[in-house]
Amino acid sequence: MNSRSRYVWAYFMIAPTLLGTLVFWGWPVLHSILLGFQQSENFGLVNHWVGFDNYAKLFRDPEFWQNLRNTLYYVVLFVPLTLALSTFFAVLLNSKIKALSVYRVVFFLPQVTMPAAAAMVWVVLFAKDFGLVNHLLGTRVAWLSDPNYAMFVLVIVGVWGAIGLNMLLILAGLQGIPKSLYEAAEIDGARRFNKFRYITVPLLTPTLFFTSIILLIGATQIFDSIYLIIGKTNVALPSVRSLVYAYYQNSFVYFNPNYGAAIVNVLLLINLLLTGIQFAFQKKWVVYD
């Protein structure tokens, strides 16, 4: 088989995935960008080009800026906490302990748990009158309906659900570090903390960089926990409503897909900007040697 035939077979094998990506990801993105510059009527059968009118309305809307602040606030709380805890548990599970595979499964279980089922459990745990959290703390705090606490509940739920997958990613990075480096450090008399600081952390930075990008993009798209745990009639909703939740409301509740498309288009630009900043600063802390 010559080289051209191998390329043909390679393209043939990736064609289903490539076509699926273009149909279910590429086209919706392009369609969303187009909708942001239009005004639709008759359930989308008639579209009028309105330029930047939707974006002008968006930037004049105080609710949009509140939703943006909520989203960024969640990102600031969620990403560092998840990254730190995932690294901590990955380091623990990388050591020689009994029933290691059992612990890995337990930590990964939230990742495969149905969001609706998990949300029901969290609602019961944080209930004001009969919740286990208030019972253990001896308080009667309305965790889910108080604007001062609702965001922290979402962060706790988000971290609980994200630790498993990110811990496995970091664990894979840890297992890729040559053991000979630790053995050489032990011969030189290095302590456990110094080995972690000067060997583990630098060589783990590529994995942490990749994980931080995944976490940041996922955090800006928070929706299901707001919808399932807080609810659309909750008085605390304005204090936690994200840009994706605002997109859902405008597109499928208020039937204004053009305004909703403008919201997610702005979110796309924000993600591109934040990811670009991460790539720009990676040279200052990521070690590839």
Side-chain angles (χ1 to χ4, degrees):
M1 182 181 294
N2 55 37
S3 59
R4 178 173 297 181
S5 299
R6 287 198 297 267
Y7 280 120
V8 171
W9 274 107
Y11 286 122
F12 177 77
M13 297 300 292
I14 68 172
T17 302
L18 181 61
L19 290 176
T21 302
L22 293 176
V23 172
F24 295 107
W25 291 90
W27 167 242
V29 170
L30 295 177
H31 187 61
S32 175
I33 295 174
L34 183 63
L35 279 178
F37 294 98
Q38 295 178 334
Q39 186 62 44
S40 301
E41 298 177 0
N42 296 333
F43 300 98
L45 297 178
V46 179
N47 298 293
H48 303 287
W49 187 266
V50 294
F52 289 93
D53 288 357
N54 291 314
Y55 295 96
K57 177 184 176 182
L58 184 69
F59 293 137
R60 291 194 303 265
D61 188 358
E63 186 177 289
F64 164 75
W65 295 108
Q66 178 63 42
N67 299 334
L68 177 60
R69 285 192 294 269
N70 294 339
T71 303
L72 295 179
Y73 185 41
Y74 179 83
V75 169
V76 169
L77 294 177
F78 169 81
V79 174
L81 185 58
T82 305
L83 196 62
L85 290 177
S86 299
T87 304
F88 174 75
F89 288 119
V91 171
L92 289 181
L93 293 182
N94 194 43
S95 58
K96 296 180 180 179
I97 58 177
K98 295 181 179 180
L100 184 60
S101 58
V102 175
Y103 287 112
R104 292 178 182 176
V105 172
V106 170
F107 277 104
F108 193 74
L109 278 178
Q111 194 69 35
V112 297
T113 303
M114 293 294 292
M120 293 177 62
V121 175
W122 285 110
V123 169
V124 174
L125 290 175
F126 283 102
K128 178 182 178 181
D129 297 323
F130 53 84
L132 181 61
V133 175
N134 276 334
H135 177 73
L136 294 177
L137 298 178
T139 59
R140 284 180 55 84
V141 178
W143 298 98
L144 301 179
S145 57
D146 191 330
N148 297 318
Y149 299 106
M151 180 62 77
F152 297 107
V153 172
L154 294 179
V155 171
I156 292 173
V157 175
V159 171
W160 171 82
I163 281 181
L165 176 61
N166 293 280
M167 180 199 67
L168 290 181
L169 293 175
I170 296 173
L171 183 60
L174 287 171
Q175 294 179 347
I177 299 176
K179 294 182 179 180
S180 58
L181 296 177
Y182 295 105
E183 295 172 354
E186 289 180 358
I187 294 175
D188 292 337
R191 297 182 178 180
R192 179 176 299 180
F193 177 76
N194 289 332
K195 289 189 290 184
F196 178 78
R197 179 182 178 183
Y198 294 107
I199 298 177
T200 304
V201 173
L203 296 181
L204 193 61
T205 50
T207 304
L208 295 177
F209 173 63
F210 171 77
T211 307
S212 65
I213 292 178
I214 300 300
L215 283 173
L216 188 145
I217 295 175
T220 60
Q221 300 177 17
I222 176 177
F223 169 78
D224 53 351
S225 57
I226 300 176
Y227 182 83
L228 296 170
I229 296 176
I230 302 301
K232 59 183 179 181
T233 59
N234 197 319
V235 294
L237 179 60
S239 65
V240 298
R241 180 170 44 214
S242 65
L243 291 177
V244 174
Y245 192 93
Y247 158 74
Y248 156 76
Q249 280 188 318
N250 284 278
S251 298
F252 302 104
V253 178
Y254 307 144
F255 300 106
N256 189 355
N258 306 100
Y259 192 71
I263 294 175
V264 293
N265 291 341
V266 171
L267 180 60
L268 173 62
L269 292 177
I270 292 173
N271 273 322
L272 291 175
L273 176 62
L274 294 177
T275 305
I277 293 175
Q278 287 181 290
F279 273 97
F281 283 95
Q282 68 165 321
K283 296 180 181 180
K284 297 183 180 295
W285 66 281
V286 180
V287 179
Y288 289 106
D289 295 334

